[in-house]
Amino acid sequence: MKYILKCFFSLFLVLCSLTTLAQKAAIKDSTAVKKDSVKPKTERYGLRVGVDMYKFTRSLYDKNYKGLELVGDFKFTRRHYLAAEIGNENITVADDQLNFTTNGTYLKVGFDYNSYENWLGMNNMIYVGMRYGVSTFSQTLNSYSIYYANNYFPKPIIESGEKFDGLSAQWLEVVAGVKAELFRNLYLGFSFRMNHLITNKTPENFDNLYIPGFNRTYEGKFGAGFNYSVSYFLPLYKKTLKNKSKEVTPKK
């Protein structure tokens, strides 16, 4: 009898041990399932395209100006964007001494760095960047007047119409601006630009006083400009965010 009781007691202890191990295994498995059920955080990457509203609206109210600029950027890291602008300008400038028309196209390519820390799922920007710009254009000297030191007599205006083709310019541009999401994927942006000419092919006896994409050149090799744009973000893919928090190891 004693032998049978010992056997039952030993079997009871074995069953208790197995039950405890099974419970620990079940808790471990449920914890693993819970961890796996948590969706990893992702961030959207893609292309944002839009139009410069300053040039578009100016074309509506200024009879001496016609222009259009398309803008775009592509997010390739959390803070870095490839950026580009392409456009066309036709402008007539009437000064005291001369009247001329500039017509041409331009392309600017570069990058932007976003210093703003976004919430998850947002792509707002407070950024700085650089552009390399190139423009091909023509100038038409419509009319001019000869300067006289004596202002008692009216200055005669000489009609010209001479056209200079095959002109070009290249420059570097420093950009600073913001882009904010108004509605889902729709953004409003402002930017300011400081330009520095690298090359400037000019005709004989006439300077390039206006370069499409660069603006006026009356200050020598330096120029300035701004734009405000409306753009739409096209999400192309997502990337999983890495968890930077340190894992806590349980004490033994």
Side-chain angles (χ1 to χ4, degrees), residues 63 95 117 223 228 235:
K63 64 179 182 179
D95 286 339
E117 187 66 37
Y228 65 93

Side-chain angles (χ1 to χ4, degrees), residues 26-51:
I27 292 172
K28 189 175 181 180
D29 291 338
S30 64
T31 305
V33 170
K34 189 178 290 185
K35 284 184 178 180
D36 292 337
S37 64
V38 177
K39 292 183 179 180
K41 295 180 179 180
T42 60
E43 189 168 10
R44 299 180 302 161
Y45 288 73
L47 179 68
R48 183 164 35 200
V49 293
V51 62

Side-chain angles (χ1 to χ4, degrees), residues 69-211:
E69 179 179 284
L70 302 178
V71 301
D73 60 54
F74 178 78
K75 181 179 180 179
F76 66 97
T77 74
R78 291 201 70 187
R79 293 189 179 273
H80 294 87
Y81 295 72
L82 296 176
E85 294 101 22
I86 185 171
N88 176 273
E89 287 186 294
N90 186 313
I91 183 171
T92 298
V93 179
D95 286 339
D96 294 336
Q97 298 294 324
L98 53 83
N99 182 299
F100 66 93
T101 298
T102 302
N103 182 30
T105 59
Y106 61 90
L107 173 66
K108 296 185 278 188
V109 294
F111 68 91
D112 292 328
Y113 174 79
N114 185 16
S115 62
Y116 182 73
E117 187 66 37
N118 277 295
W119 290 0
L120 189 65
M122 299 177 67
N123 285 312
N124 295 324
M125 296 179 67
I126 300 176
Y127 65 93
V128 293
M130 289 194 69
R131 303 285 189 276
Y132 166 77
V134 58
S135 177
T136 59
F137 55 97
S138 65
Q139 304 266 23
T140 301
L141 178 60
N142 301 318
S143 62
Y144 64 95
S145 61
I146 300 174
Y147 175 76
Y148 292 102
N150 189 344
N151 293 323
Y152 291 107
F153 300 100
K155 299 176 182 179
I157 298 176
I158 302 172
E159 300 292 334
S160 174
E162 186 176 3
K163 188 174 182 179
F164 309 96
D165 292 317
L167 307 177
S168 63
Q170 301 176 58
W171 66 91
L172 289 177
E173 193 167 288
V174 178
V175 185
V178 297
K179 288 181 182 177
E181 188 173 17
L182 299 178
F183 303 101
R184 179 68 173 176
N185 294 332
L186 185 66
Y187 290 81
L188 178 67
F190 300 86
S191 69
F192 298 90
R193 287 115 190 287
M194 293 296 297
N195 311 329
H196 178 69
L197 273 175
I198 301 174
T199 64
N200 185 17
K201 183 181 178 181
T202 60
E204 292 185 14
N205 302 321
F206 190 72
D207 289 331
N208 292 327
L209 302 179
Y210 191 98
I211 298 174

Side-chain angles (χ1 to χ4, degrees), residues 6 14 31 144 162 214 226 246:
K6 287 183 179 179
V14 171
T31 305
Y144 64 95
E162 186 176 3
F214 183 91
F226 75 96
K246 296 181 180 179

